[in-house]
Amino acid sequence: MSERNILVVVHAHRDDTVAAAERIYHSLKAAGARCVLSADDMRDLREVADNQAILDDFLVLGENVAVDDVELAIVLGGDGTILRAAELVRGRAAPILGINMGHVGFLAESERDDMDEAVRRVIAGEYTVEERLALSVRVKNREGDTIYETWALNEATVEKASRERMLEVVIAIDRRPLSSFGCDGVVLSTPTGSTAYNFSAGGPVIWPTVQAISVVPLSAHALFARPLVIDPSSSVTIEVLQRNQGTGVLWCDGRRSHDLPQGARVIVRRSAQPVRLARLHTALFTDRLVNKFQLPVDGWRGADPATSAIPTIKDATA
C-alpha cells in the first residue's frame, strides 16, 4: 500500500495555528499518514514552534514528497492561507480542506472546534470534491506580446498605481469594446471570489454552482459602469489607455502583482484548471452566507435554518 501524504498548510505566526498543527500531526500519524509541509512553512514553524522534535518528522514538499504524491491539503488559517495552499497544489489532483483559524473564513469547510472530527473524516475518505472556477490571466504590451501570465481563484483586479490619479481604461467583452471611463480600477471575479473584494465593491454574490464571471468597476466616472455578469466562456479585456498620466497594477487574489504601463491589456477568461475543494457537509450556500455574515433570519417559519441540521456526506471521493 502506498504512503498517504497529507500536506498541512499553516499560518505559522498564530499561536493557536501552531498548536493545531501539532494536533493534526498526532492524528495523522496515528492513522498511518505522513505530514508534509512546504519549505516556507517549515522555516516559519522552526522559528516559533516549542516542540522542534515534531518538525523533524514532517516531510518537505518538493524535497521529500512530490506535489503529485499529495493526497489532500489541510489548511489551518483563514482564506488567505487557503489561497496560498491553492498555489501549492495548483493543477494537481489534491483537494483542499480549510479549517478556519481566522475570522470569516468563507472558503473554510470546518471551524477549529471541529478539527479532530474533520481529520478523522479525511482519513476515512468521507468527503466529496467540489471544483471551483478559476481565472486565467494574461498581460499583453502595446505591441501585442504576452509579458505576464498567472491565474486567480478569487479575483483579478486592475487598479490605479497612483492614489492621486484616476485610471483610464476601456473594457471589451469577447474582443468587442463595451465602454471606456476613468476609475479607481476594475474587479474581475469568480463565483468563489464574489464574497471577497467583489462583495466589498458592490458586486453581486454569485452562487458557487453558477458558472460566471463578474466585472465590477471601482468608483467609475461614467454613466454606464454597472456590475456585469458574463458567461464563463467569454473573455474580458481591460486596456490601460495610453492617454493615462499614470500607470496601473494588476493584482490576483491579493497575492501576485504586475505593473501595467500605458497601452497594456489584461485578458481574463476561465482557466482550464479549476481549484478543488474538499467538502464534508451538504450545507447549502444560503446557510453558509447566513452563518459567515451572521445575517438576520428572524421570522423565518420554514425548516430549521441551522446548518448543523443538514446531514453530512457519507460517500467518499479519494
Side-chain angles (χ1 to χ4, degrees), residues 105-118:
F106 211 95
L107 289 172
E109 179 65 8
S110 296
E111 299 298 322
R112 69 186 75 195
D113 295 341
D114 303 320
M115 184 188 315
D116 295 331
E117 175 65 9

mmCIF file with all atom_site columns, all heavy atoms in Angstrom, residues 105-118:
data_model
loop_
_atom_site.group_PDB
_atom_site.id
_atom_site.type_symbol
_atom_site.label_atom_id
_atom_site.label_alt_id
_atom_site.label_comp_id
_atom_site.label_asym_id
_atom_site.label_entity_id
_atom_site.label_seq_id
_atom_site.pdbx_PDB_ins_code
_atom_site.Cartn_x
_atom_site.Cartn_y
_atom_site.Cartn_z
_atom_site.occupancy
_atom_site.B_iso_or_equiv
_atom_site.pdbx_formal_charge
_atom_site.auth_seq_id
_atom_site.auth_comp_id
_atom_site.auth_asym_id
_atom_site.auth_atom_id
_atom_site.pdbx_PDB_model_num
ATOM 1   N N   . GLY A 1 105 ? -13.378 33.396 7.228  1.00 0.00 ? 105 GLY A N   1
ATOM 2   C CA  . GLY A 1 105 ? -13.004 32.085 6.697  1.00 0.00 ? 105 GLY A CA  1
ATOM 3   C C   . GLY A 1 105 ? -14.045 31.520 5.765  1.00 0.00 ? 105 GLY A C   1
ATOM 4   O O   . GLY A 1 105 ? -14.517 30.396 5.940  1.00 0.00 ? 105 GLY A O   1
ATOM 5   N N   . PHE A 1 106 ? -14.409 32.280 4.739  1.00 0.00 ? 106 PHE A N   1
ATOM 6   C CA  . PHE A 1 106 ? -15.530 31.894 3.886  1.00 0.00 ? 106 PHE A CA  1
ATOM 7   C C   . PHE A 1 106 ? -15.249 30.611 3.104  1.00 0.00 ? 106 PHE A C   1
ATOM 8   O O   . PHE A 1 106 ? -16.146 29.828 2.818  1.00 0.00 ? 106 PHE A O   1
ATOM 9   C CB  . PHE A 1 106 ? -15.864 33.035 2.921  1.00 0.00 ? 106 PHE A CB  1
ATOM 10  C CG  . PHE A 1 106 ? -17.316 33.090 2.575  1.00 0.00 ? 106 PHE A CG  1
ATOM 11  C CD1 . PHE A 1 106 ? -18.178 33.916 3.270  1.00 0.00 ? 106 PHE A CD1 1
ATOM 12  C CD2 . PHE A 1 106 ? -17.848 32.292 1.577  1.00 0.00 ? 106 PHE A CD2 1
ATOM 13  C CE1 . PHE A 1 106 ? -19.529 33.956 2.977  1.00 0.00 ? 106 PHE A CE1 1
ATOM 14  C CE2 . PHE A 1 106 ? -19.195 32.329 1.271  1.00 0.00 ? 106 PHE A CE2 1
ATOM 15  C CZ  . PHE A 1 106 ? -20.041 33.170 1.967  1.00 0.00 ? 106 PHE A CZ  1
ATOM 16  N N   . LEU A 1 107 ? -13.984 30.375 2.757  1.00 0.00 ? 107 LEU A N   1
ATOM 17  C CA  . LEU A 1 107 ? -13.640 29.183 1.982  1.00 0.00 ? 107 LEU A CA  1
ATOM 18  C C   . LEU A 1 107 ? -13.467 27.941 2.854  1.00 0.00 ? 107 LEU A C   1
ATOM 19  O O   . LEU A 1 107 ? -13.423 26.831 2.349  1.00 0.00 ? 107 LEU A O   1
ATOM 20  C CB  . LEU A 1 107 ? -12.351 29.427 1.199  1.00 0.00 ? 107 LEU A CB  1
ATOM 21  C CG  . LEU A 1 107 ? -12.441 30.403 0.025  1.00 0.00 ? 107 LEU A CG  1
ATOM 22  C CD1 . LEU A 1 107 ? -11.048 30.695 -0.517 1.00 0.00 ? 107 LEU A CD1 1
ATOM 23  C CD2 . LEU A 1 107 ? -13.329 29.839 -1.063 1.00 0.00 ? 107 LEU A CD2 1
ATOM 24  N N   . ALA A 1 108 ? -13.341 28.130 4.159  1.00 0.00 ? 108 ALA A N   1
ATOM 25  C CA  . ALA A 1 108 ? -13.073 27.008 5.059  1.00 0.00 ? 108 ALA A CA  1
ATOM 26  C C   . ALA A 1 108 ? -14.287 26.100 5.170  1.00 0.00 ? 108 ALA A C   1
ATOM 27  O O   . ALA A 1 108 ? -15.431 26.548 5.134  1.00 0.00 ? 108 ALA A O   1
ATOM 28  C CB  . ALA A 1 108 ? -12.664 27.518 6.441  1.00 0.00 ? 108 ALA A CB  1
ATOM 29  N N   . GLU A 1 109 ? -14.012 24.820 5.344  1.00 0.00 ? 109 GLU A N   1
ATOM 30  C CA  . GLU A 1 109 ? -15.080 23.836 5.472  1.00 0.00 ? 109 GLU A CA  1
ATOM 31  C C   . GLU A 1 109 ? -15.443 23.572 6.924  1.00 0.00 ? 109 GLU A C   1
ATOM 32  O O   . GLU A 1 109 ? -16.582 23.251 7.242  1.00 0.00 ? 109 GLU A O   1
ATOM 33  C CB  . GLU A 1 109 ? -14.648 22.524 4.800  1.00 0.00 ? 109 GLU A CB  1
ATOM 34  C CG  . GLU A 1 109 ? -15.653 21.399 4.871  1.00 0.00 ? 109 GLU A CG  1
ATOM 35  C CD  . GLU A 1 109 ? -16.939 21.681 4.101  1.00 0.00 ? 109 GLU A CD  1
ATOM 36  O OE1 . GLU A 1 109 ? -17.001 22.694 3.379  1.00 0.00 ? 109 GLU A OE1 1
ATOM 37  O OE2 . GLU A 1 109 ? -17.883 20.882 4.216  1.00 0.00 ? 109 GLU A OE2 1
ATOM 38  N N   . SER A 1 110 ? -14.475 23.703 7.822  1.00 0.00 ? 110 SER A N   1
ATOM 39  C CA  . SER A 1 110 ? -14.709 23.412 9.231  1.00 0.00 ? 110 SER A CA  1
ATOM 40  C C   . SER A 1 110 ? -14.162 24.532 10.106 1.00 0.00 ? 110 SER A C   1
ATOM 41  O O   . SER A 1 110 ? -13.309 25.300 9.674  1.00 0.00 ? 110 SER A O   1
ATOM 42  C CB  . SER A 1 110 ? -14.042 22.079 9.636  1.00 0.00 ? 110 SER A CB  1
ATOM 43  O OG  . SER A 1 110 ? -14.615 20.998 8.941  1.00 0.00 ? 110 SER A OG  1
ATOM 44  N N   . GLU A 1 111 ? -14.646 24.594 11.338 1.00 0.00 ? 111 GLU A N   1
ATOM 45  C CA  . GLU A 1 111 ? -14.134 25.528 12.320 1.00 0.00 ? 111 GLU A CA  1
ATOM 46  C C   . GLU A 1 111 ? -13.158 24.794 13.240 1.00 0.00 ? 111 GLU A C   1
ATOM 47  O O   . GLU A 1 111 ? -13.118 23.562 13.277 1.00 0.00 ? 111 GLU A O   1
ATOM 48  C CB  . GLU A 1 111 ? -15.291 26.121 13.142 1.00 0.00 ? 111 GLU A CB  1
ATOM 49  C CG  . GLU A 1 111 ? -16.304 26.888 12.300 1.00 0.00 ? 111 GLU A CG  1
ATOM 50  C CD  . GLU A 1 111 ? -15.701 28.102 11.590 1.00 0.00 ? 111 GLU A CD  1
ATOM 51  O OE1 . GLU A 1 111 ? -14.852 28.779 12.192 1.00 0.00 ? 111 GLU A OE1 1
ATOM 52  O OE2 . GLU A 1 111 ? -16.091 28.353 10.436 1.00 0.00 ? 111 GLU A OE2 1
ATOM 53  N N   . ARG A 1 112 ? -12.385 25.560 13.994 1.00 0.00 ? 112 ARG A N   1
ATOM 54  C CA  . ARG A 1 112 ? -11.340 24.956 14.826 1.00 0.00 ? 112 ARG A CA  1
ATOM 55  C C   . ARG A 1 112 ? -11.898 23.952 15.824 1.00 0.00 ? 112 ARG A C   1
ATOM 56  O O   . ARG A 1 112 ? -11.231 22.963 16.156 1.00 0.00 ? 112 ARG A O   1
ATOM 57  C CB  . ARG A 1 112 ? -10.545 26.054 15.529 1.00 0.00 ? 112 ARG A CB  1
ATOM 58  C CG  . ARG A 1 112 ? -11.303 26.800 16.598 1.00 0.00 ? 112 ARG A CG  1
ATOM 59  C CD  . ARG A 1 112 ? -10.474 27.955 17.128 1.00 0.00 ? 112 ARG A CD  1
ATOM 60  N NE  . ARG A 1 112 ? -10.429 29.051 16.180 1.00 0.00 ? 112 ARG A NE  1
ATOM 61  C CZ  . ARG A 1 112 ? -9.548  30.053 16.248 1.00 0.00 ? 112 ARG A CZ  1
ATOM 62  N NH1 . ARG A 1 112 ? -8.639  30.062 17.181 1.00 0.00 ? 112 ARG A NH1 1
ATOM 63  N NH2 . ARG A 1 112 ? -9.582  31.025 15.370 1.00 0.00 ? 112 ARG A NH2 1
ATOM 64  N N   . ASP A 1 113 ? -13.135 24.177 16.308 1.00 0.00 ? 113 ASP A N   1
ATOM 65  C CA  . ASP A 1 113 ? -13.727 23.265 17.292 1.00 0.00 ? 113 ASP A CA  1
ATOM 66  C C   . ASP A 1 113 ? -14.029 21.892 16.699 1.00 0.00 ? 113 ASP A C   1
ATOM 67  O O   . ASP A 1 113 ? -14.182 20.917 17.431 1.00 0.00 ? 113 ASP A O   1
ATOM 68  C CB  . ASP A 1 113 ? -15.005 23.865 17.873 1.00 0.00 ? 113 ASP A CB  1
ATOM 69  C CG  . ASP A 1 113 ? -14.742 25.134 18.684 1.00 0.00 ? 113 ASP A CG  1
ATOM 70  O OD1 . ASP A 1 113 ? -13.583 25.331 19.090 1.00 0.00 ? 113 ASP A OD1 1
ATOM 71  O OD2 . ASP A 1 113 ? -15.689 25.907 18.895 1.00 0.00 ? 113 ASP A OD2 1
ATOM 72  N N   . ASP A 1 114 ? -14.141 21.817 15.377 1.00 0.00 ? 114 ASP A N   1
ATOM 73  C CA  . ASP A 1 114 ? -14.461 20.554 14.708 1.00 0.00 ? 114 ASP A CA  1
ATOM 74  C C   . ASP A 1 114 ? -13.229 19.916 14.080 1.00 0.00 ? 114 ASP A C   1
ATOM 75  O O   . ASP A 1 114 ? -13.345 19.001 13.258 1.00 0.00 ? 114 ASP A O   1
ATOM 76  C CB  . ASP A 1 114 ? -15.515 20.796 13.613 1.00 0.00 ? 114 ASP A CB  1
ATOM 77  C CG  . ASP A 1 114 ? -16.784 21.425 14.165 1.00 0.00 ? 114 ASP A CG  1
ATOM 78  O OD1 . ASP A 1 114 ? -17.191 21.027 15.264 1.00 0.00 ? 114 ASP A OD1 1
ATOM 79  O OD2 . ASP A 1 114 ? -17.344 22.311 13.497 1.00 0.00 ? 114 ASP A OD2 1
ATOM 80  N N   . MET A 1 115 ? -12.040 20.362 14.472 1.00 0.00 ? 115 MET A N   1
ATOM 81  C CA  . MET A 1 115 ? -10.810 19.945 13.804 1.00 0.00 ? 115 MET A CA  1
ATOM 82  C C   . MET A 1 115 ? -10.587 18.435 13.869 1.00 0.00 ? 115 MET A C   1
ATOM 83  O O   . MET A 1 115 ? -10.292 17.787 12.857 1.00 0.00 ? 115 MET A O   1
ATOM 84  C CB  . MET A 1 115 ? -9.620  20.671 14.428 1.00 0.00 ? 115 MET A CB  1
ATOM 85  C CG  . MET A 1 115 ? -8.295  20.393 13.761 1.00 0.00 ? 115 MET A CG  1
ATOM 86  S SD  . MET A 1 115 ? -6.913  21.084 14.696 1.00 0.00 ? 115 MET A SD  1
ATOM 87  C CE  . MET A 1 115 ? -7.546  22.714 15.097 1.00 0.00 ? 115 MET A CE  1
ATOM 88  N N   . ASP A 1 116 ? -10.731 17.851 15.037 1.00 0.00 ? 116 ASP A N   1
ATOM 89  C CA  . ASP A 1 116 ? -10.452 16.423 15.191 1.00 0.00 ? 116 ASP A CA  1
ATOM 90  C C   . ASP A 1 116 ? -11.410 15.584 14.347 1.00 0.00 ? 116 ASP A C   1
ATOM 91  O O   . ASP A 1 116 ? -11.002 14.596 13.726 1.00 0.00 ? 116 ASP A O   1
ATOM 92  C CB  . ASP A 1 116 ? -10.552 16.018 16.664 1.00 0.00 ? 116 ASP A CB  1
ATOM 93  C CG  . ASP A 1 116 ? -9.476  16.680 17.514 1.00 0.00 ? 116 ASP A CG  1
ATOM 94  O OD1 . ASP A 1 116 ? -8.389  16.976 16.971 1.00 0.00 ? 116 ASP A OD1 1
ATOM 95  O OD2 . ASP A 1 116 ? -9.724  16.911 18.717 1.00 0.00 ? 116 ASP A OD2 1
ATOM 96  N N   . GLU A 1 117 ? -12.680 15.964 14.326 1.00 0.00 ? 117 GLU A N   1
ATOM 97  C CA  . GLU A 1 117 ? -13.658 15.242 13.520 1.00 0.00 ? 117 GLU A CA  1
ATOM 98  C C   . GLU A 1 117 ? -13.349 15.405 12.032 1.00 0.00 ? 117 GLU A C   1
ATOM 99  O O   . GLU A 1 117 ? -13.493 14.459 11.251 1.00 0.00 ? 117 GLU A O   1
ATOM 100 C CB  . GLU A 1 117 ? -15.063 15.737 13.840 1.00 0.00 ? 117 GLU A CB  1
ATOM 101 C CG  . GLU A 1 117 ? -16.176 15.145 12.970 1.00 0.00 ? 117 GLU A CG  1
ATOM 102 C CD  . GLU A 1 117 ? -16.352 13.645 13.160 1.00 0.00 ? 117 GLU A CD  1
ATOM 103 O OE1 . GLU A 1 117 ? -15.738 13.055 14.084 1.00 0.00 ? 117 GLU A OE1 1
ATOM 104 O OE2 . GLU A 1 117 ? -17.108 13.050 12.372 1.00 0.00 ? 117 GLU A OE2 1
ATOM 105 N N   . ALA A 1 118 ? -12.911 16.595 11.637 1.00 0.00 ? 118 ALA A N   1
ATOM 106 C CA  . ALA A 1 118 ? -12.577 16.827 10.237 1.00 0.00 ? 118 ALA A CA  1
ATOM 107 C C   . ALA A 1 118 ? -11.420 15.935 9.796  1.00 0.00 ? 118 ALA A C   1
ATOM 108 O O   . ALA A 1 118 ? -11.463 15.329 8.718  1.00 0.00 ? 118 ALA A O   1
ATOM 109 C CB  . ALA A 1 118 ? -12.221 18.298 10.018 1.00 0.00 ? 118 ALA A CB  1
#
